[in-house]
Amino acid sequence: MSTEVDDAATPAVARSGRTTAGSLGGSLIVSIGLGYLLTVACQRLLPPQEYAVFVTFWGLVMGLGSTLSPLEQELSRQSAVAALAGGKAGRPALRAVAVGVVVAAAFSLALLIPPVNDRLFRGEWSLAVIVLAGGVAFACQFGTRGLLIGQHKVKSFSLLVIAEPAVRALILGVLFVSVAYNVVSLAIAVAAGSFAWLLFARPARQLLDVHVEGDGWGVTTRRMSMLLTGAALTAAVITGYPALVGLLAPGGDGDRVGALFAALVIARLPLTLIGPVQSLAVPFVVRLSVTEEGRHRLRRVLALGALASLVLAALGALVGLWLGPWAVRFVSGPGYDIDGWSVAGLVWSSVLLVPMQLLTAVLVARTQAKLVLVTWAVVTGTASLLLVLLPGDTVFRAVVALAVAPALGLAVVLAFVLRRAPETITGTTAGTGETSP
C-alpha cells in the first residue's frame, strides 16, 4: 500500500520541484536583468569621472552584500532543520544576523576615516554613511531571505529577490524624471533596495521563535567569521574590485578610470549567472565522488574544463581587443573611451573567474572550506600586491592585476581539486563551504 502511495505522490513531487525551480530561476533572471540595467543607466546618466566614484560606491555596497550573503545560506539551513522537526528557527538565527550587522557597521565606519574616504569617495563622507545604512539593511535582508527559503516559502522569497532591484529602479526612475540625479542621489537609490526586506518582515517574523535556544555566541561567531571571510575575499576581486583599485591604486585620469570600470561592469555580465550553476555543481560532485570510477571521471572533467576555459578566455580576449572599445561606447555612451588591450584583459579575467568559482564549489562539496579560503586569499593577495607594486598608471595596474590574479588562482584551485579526493563526502552544508560538526 505504501509503495502505491509513494508512486502516486512522485509526479506531484516532481511537479512541485519544477515549479520551485521555475519560480526561483525566473525571479533570479528578473533580478539580474534589473540590476544590470541599473548599472548601465547610471553609466549613461553620469560622466566617466563621476561614474568612477559611483561605481566605487556600488562595488563597496554590493561587495559588502556579497560578503554578507552567507547569512542567507546559514539561516536557510537553520530554518530548514527546524522545519523538519516541526519547529522554527530560534535565537541562533538572530545571533548570526547580529554578527553580520556588526561586520557591516565596522566596515562602513572605517570608510569615514579621512584618508580612506578621500581615496575612495574624494572626501564625500555621505557616501560612507549610505554604505553603512545599506550594509546593515543587507544583513537583515539576507536573514529574511534565509528564513523564507528555509521554510520553503518560495513565492515570498522570489518576490523579495525581485523587490530589491525593483525598488532601486523605481527610485532611479523618479530621479531621472525629476532631473535630480547625481552621485549621492543615485547612491541612495542603490542603498534603498537593501531595505526591501521590510516588506516581508511580518511573514519572516512568523518563522522565528526567539524562545528556542541553540548554538551560543561563540559557535555562531566562529562559524559566521569563516563564512564571511571567504565571501569577502571573493567579493574583493569580483563585485568590489573598483573599491580595491580606488584604495590601493588611487589617482590617474578620472575619465579613463571611469571608462575602465564601465568596461568591467560589461565584461562581468557572465559572472552574474554563475551562482545557480555553483549550487548545481555541489550535488553533482557529491554524486560522482561516491565511487573511485566517479572520482576519476570528475578529475578528468575538471582538467578538460580548465583547459577549455583557458582557450575560451584567450578567444574572449581577442574579441575584446577588437570589439571592446566600440562595445563600451555603444553601451555606456561616447564619453567612455577605453583601449582595446584593457578590455581584452578584463574579458580574460572574467572568463577565468567562472571556472574558478565552479572549482571552489568542488572544494565546498568535499567539505574543504579552508582550501576555499586559501584559494581566494591567493587571488585577492596577488591582485592587491600588483596594484601596489606595479609601475604605471591606475588603468595599467588595474588591468594587469585582474588578468594575473585569477590565472594564478585557477592554477592553485585546480591543483587542490585534482588531488585525490576524500572517499566519502558527508556533512556538507551546500553553498556555505562549511563542514557540519
Side-chain angles (χ1 to χ4, degrees):
M1 177 65 70
S2 61
T3 302
E4 293 176 358
V5 172
D6 291 343
D7 291 343
T10 299
V13 172
R15 284 194 299 271
S16 175
R18 288 193 296 269
T19 300
T20 299
S23 178
L24 294 177
S27 63
L28 182 65
I29 291 172
V30 173
S31 176
I32 290 171
L34 286 173
Y36 192 72
L37 288 175
L38 178 63
T39 58
V40 172
C42 291
Q43 291 172 13
R44 286 284 183 173
L45 294 175
L46 297 173
Q49 192 159 358
E50 291 185 17
Y51 182 72
V53 177
F54 172 79
V55 81
T56 298
F57 163 83
W58 173 279
L60 284 168
V61 171
M62 296 304 166
L64 187 53
S66 297
T67 299
L68 297 171
S69 62
L71 282 170
E72 178 182 333
Q73 300 159 1
E74 172 63 15
L75 264 71
S76 67
R77 180 188 70 83
Q78 293 186 25
S79 187
V81 169
L84 289 175
K88 301 177 181 179
R91 291 184 182 179
L94 295 177
R95 291 180 182 126
V97 172
V99 171
V101 168
V102 170
V103 169
F107 175 82
S108 303
L109 291 174
L111 301 179
L112 289 170
I113 299 173
V116 176
N117 194 272
D118 288 339
R119 286 195 171 200
L120 294 174
F121 301 138
R122 299 175 189 169
E124 185 61 71
W125 63 268
S126 59
L127 292 177
V129 176
I130 298 171
V131 172
L132 172 62
V136 171
F138 257 134
C140 299
Q141 179 144 292
F142 282 120
T144 301
R145 283 168 51 161
L147 289 173
L148 291 173
I149 198 62
Q151 290 274 6
H152 205 66
K153 304 295 182 181
V154 177
K155 183 178 179 180
S156 296
F157 177 86
S158 301
L159 289 174
L160 178 51
V161 169
I162 296 173
E164 178 188 336
V167 169
R168 296 191 183 108
L170 177 63
I171 297 177
L172 177 64
V174 172
L175 293 174
F176 175 75
V177 171
S178 61
V179 198
Y181 52 84
N182 53 40
V183 172
V184 174
S185 62
L186 292 176
I188 292 173
V190 170
S194 305
F195 288 86
W197 68 274
L198 292 171
L199 301 173
F200 301 84
R202 185 173 181 179
R205 174 64 183 85
Q206 295 172 350
L207 304 177
L208 190 66
D209 185 352
V210 296
H211 301 294
V212 175
E213 279 292 350
D215 292 337
W217 282 104
V219 173
T220 301
T221 301
R222 285 192 297 273
R223 178 188 297 129
M224 294 311 305
S225 296
M226 174 174 280
L227 297 178
L228 296 179
T229 300
L233 290 172
T234 307
V237 290
I238 299 181
T239 315
Y241 191 67
L244 192 67
V245 173
L247 187 63
L248 299 180
D253 186 337
D255 287 346
R256 291 186 66 224
V257 174
L260 174 72
F261 290 162
L264 179 63
V265 170
I266 297 170
R268 287 287 167 83
L269 179 60
L271 294 180
T272 60
L273 304 174
I274 197 64
V277 181
Q278 277 185 293
S279 297
L280 294 173
V282 172
F284 173 75
V285 171
V286 171
R287 287 193 297 269
L288 280 183
S289 299
V290 172
T291 64
E292 179 60 36
E293 181 182 353
R295 290 191 288 272
H296 176 74
R297 179 187 168 197
L298 177 62
R299 287 193 291 270
R300 184 171 179 272
V301 169
L302 296 175
L304 291 176
L307 179 62
S309 69
L310 289 172
V311 175
L312 186 60
L315 292 175
L318 289 176
V319 174
L321 181 66
W322 180 37
L323 293 177
W326 170 84
V328 173
R329 286 192 295 270
F330 177 78
V331 173
S332 306
Y336 289 80
D337 191 22
I338 189 169
D339 299 324
W341 73 268
S342 297
V343 182
L346 297 179
V347 174
W348 163 271
S349 70
S350 295
V351 174
L352 290 188
L353 283 168
V354 172
M356 260 210 68
Q357 292 191 78
L358 291 176
L359 288 169
T360 55
V362 174
L363 298 179
V364 169
R366 294 177 177 176
T367 68
Q368 296 173 316
K370 290 183 179 179
L371 296 184
V372 175
L373 293 180
V374 170
T375 298
W376 287 110
V378 168
V379 176
T380 305
T382 300
S384 300
L385 286 174
L386 291 176
L387 283 172
V388 173
L389 300 178
L390 276 178
D393 62 11
T394 300
V395 171
F396 175 79
R397 285 189 279 174
V399 173
V400 173
L402 200 55
V404 172
L408 180 59
L410 181 62
V412 170
V413 72
L414 189 62
F416 286 152
V417 300
L418 291 183
R419 295 191 307 181
R420 186 176 181 85
E423 294 186 0
T424 59
I425 298 179
T426 58
T428 304
T429 303
T432 66
E434 176 191 11
T435 305
S436 302

Short mmCIF file of all heavy atoms in Angstrom, two decimals, residues 8 17 57 72 90 133 137 141 200 218 245 254 279 303 344 361 368 381 407 418:
data_model
loop_
_atom_site.label_atom_id
_atom_site.label_comp_id
_atom_site.label_asym_id
_atom_site.label_seq_id
_atom_site.Cartn_x
_atom_site.Cartn_y
_atom_site.Cartn_z
N ALA A 8 2.25 7.23 -6.44
CA ALA A 8 1.27 8.24 -6.83
C ALA A 8 1.75 9.64 -6.49
O ALA A 8 1.43 10.62 -7.16
CB ALA A 8 -0.06 7.97 -6.13
N GLY A 17 8.81 20.31 -7.61
CA GLY A 17 10.21 20.68 -7.79
C GLY A 17 10.42 21.55 -9.01
O GLY A 17 11.17 22.53 -8.97
N PHE A 57 31.50 53.26 -5.04
CA PHE A 57 30.44 53.09 -4.03
C PHE A 57 29.65 51.82 -4.30
O PHE A 57 29.38 51.03 -3.38
CB PHE A 57 29.51 54.31 -4.03
CG PHE A 57 28.20 54.05 -3.35
CD1 PHE A 57 28.08 54.16 -1.97
CD2 PHE A 57 27.07 53.68 -4.08
CE1 PHE A 57 26.88 53.91 -1.33
CE2 PHE A 57 25.86 53.43 -3.45
CZ PHE A 57 25.76 53.54 -2.08
N GLU A 72 22.25 34.25 4.36
CA GLU A 72 21.08 33.60 3.75
C GLU A 72 21.22 32.08 3.80
O GLU A 72 20.27 31.37 4.14
CB GLU A 72 20.93 34.06 2.30
CG GLU A 72 19.77 33.40 1.57
CD GLU A 72 19.67 33.85 0.12
OE1 GLU A 72 20.10 34.97 -0.19
OE2 GLU A 72 19.16 33.07 -0.70
N GLY A 90 15.49 29.64 15.85
CA GLY A 90 15.46 30.33 17.14
C GLY A 90 16.50 31.41 17.27
O GLY A 90 16.87 32.07 16.29
N ALA A 133 24.23 52.33 6.00
CA ALA A 133 22.80 52.01 6.00
C ALA A 133 22.51 50.82 5.11
O ALA A 133 21.77 49.89 5.50
CB ALA A 133 22.01 53.23 5.54
N ALA A 137 21.22 47.00 6.36
CA ALA A 137 19.98 46.50 5.77
C ALA A 137 20.20 45.19 5.02
O ALA A 137 19.34 44.31 5.03
CB ALA A 137 19.40 47.56 4.84
N GLN A 141 18.30 41.72 5.30
CA GLN A 141 17.65 41.18 4.10
C GLN A 141 18.04 39.73 3.84
O GLN A 141 17.19 38.89 3.55
CB GLN A 141 18.01 42.04 2.89
CG GLN A 141 17.39 41.55 1.58
CD GLN A 141 17.01 42.70 0.69
OE1 GLN A 141 16.11 43.47 1.00
NE2 GLN A 141 17.71 42.83 -0.42
N PHE A 200 8.67 42.26 3.82
CA PHE A 200 8.45 40.84 4.13
C PHE A 200 8.79 40.54 5.59
O PHE A 200 8.94 39.37 5.96
CB PHE A 200 9.30 39.97 3.20
CG PHE A 200 8.99 40.17 1.75
CD1 PHE A 200 9.59 41.21 1.03
CD2 PHE A 200 8.10 39.35 1.08
CE1 PHE A 200 9.31 41.40 -0.30
CE2 PHE A 200 7.81 39.54 -0.25
CZ PHE A 200 8.41 40.58 -0.94
N GLY A 218 29.61 32.09 20.86
CA GLY A 218 30.93 31.65 20.44
C GLY A 218 30.90 30.82 19.17
O GLY A 218 31.62 31.08 18.21
N VAL A 245 40.72 48.90 -6.24
CA VAL A 245 41.57 49.76 -7.07
C VAL A 245 41.64 51.16 -6.46
O VAL A 245 42.73 51.75 -6.35
CB VAL A 245 41.03 49.82 -8.51
CG1 VAL A 245 41.82 50.84 -9.33
CG2 VAL A 245 41.13 48.46 -9.17
N GLY A 254 40.70 60.52 -14.26
CA GLY A 254 39.39 60.08 -13.79
C GLY A 254 38.51 59.56 -14.91
O GLY A 254 37.75 58.60 -14.71
N SER A 279 25.47 26.14 -7.33
CA SER A 279 24.56 25.35 -6.50
C SER A 279 24.33 23.97 -7.10
O SER A 279 24.19 22.98 -6.38
CB SER A 279 23.23 26.09 -6.34
OG SER A 279 23.43 27.32 -5.68
N ALA A 303 39.87 18.79 -15.32
CA ALA A 303 41.08 19.15 -16.05
C ALA A 303 40.74 19.65 -17.46
O ALA A 303 41.27 20.67 -17.91
CB ALA A 303 42.03 17.95 -16.13
N ALA A 344 40.47 43.57 -23.38
CA ALA A 344 40.95 42.19 -23.54
C ALA A 344 41.34 41.60 -22.18
O ALA A 344 40.99 40.45 -21.86
CB ALA A 344 42.14 42.16 -24.49
N ALA A 361 33.49 25.41 -5.81
CA ALA A 361 32.29 24.66 -5.42
C ALA A 361 32.62 23.18 -5.21
O ALA A 361 32.00 22.52 -4.38
CB ALA A 361 31.20 24.82 -6.49
N GLN A 368 36.03 21.03 2.18
CA GLN A 368 37.39 21.55 2.33
C GLN A 368 37.34 23.08 2.34
O GLN A 368 37.89 23.76 1.48
CB GLN A 368 38.28 21.02 1.20
CG GLN A 368 38.45 19.50 1.25
CD GLN A 368 39.19 18.95 0.04
OE1 GLN A 368 38.93 19.34 -1.09
NE2 GLN A 368 40.12 18.04 0.29
N GLY A 381 45.21 38.49 -2.61
CA GLY A 381 46.54 38.94 -2.24
C GLY A 381 47.39 39.29 -3.45
O GLY A 381 48.10 40.31 -3.45
N ALA A 407 44.30 33.95 -13.03
CA ALA A 407 45.07 32.88 -13.67
C ALA A 407 45.85 32.08 -12.63
O ALA A 407 45.89 30.84 -12.65
CB ALA A 407 46.01 33.46 -14.73
N LEU A 418 42.44 18.43 -8.15
CA LEU A 418 42.94 17.26 -8.86
C LEU A 418 43.67 16.29 -7.94
O LEU A 418 44.01 15.18 -8.36
CB LEU A 418 43.87 17.69 -10.00
CG LEU A 418 43.19 18.40 -11.17
CD1 LEU A 418 44.19 18.71 -12.27
CD2 LEU A 418 42.03 17.57 -11.73
#
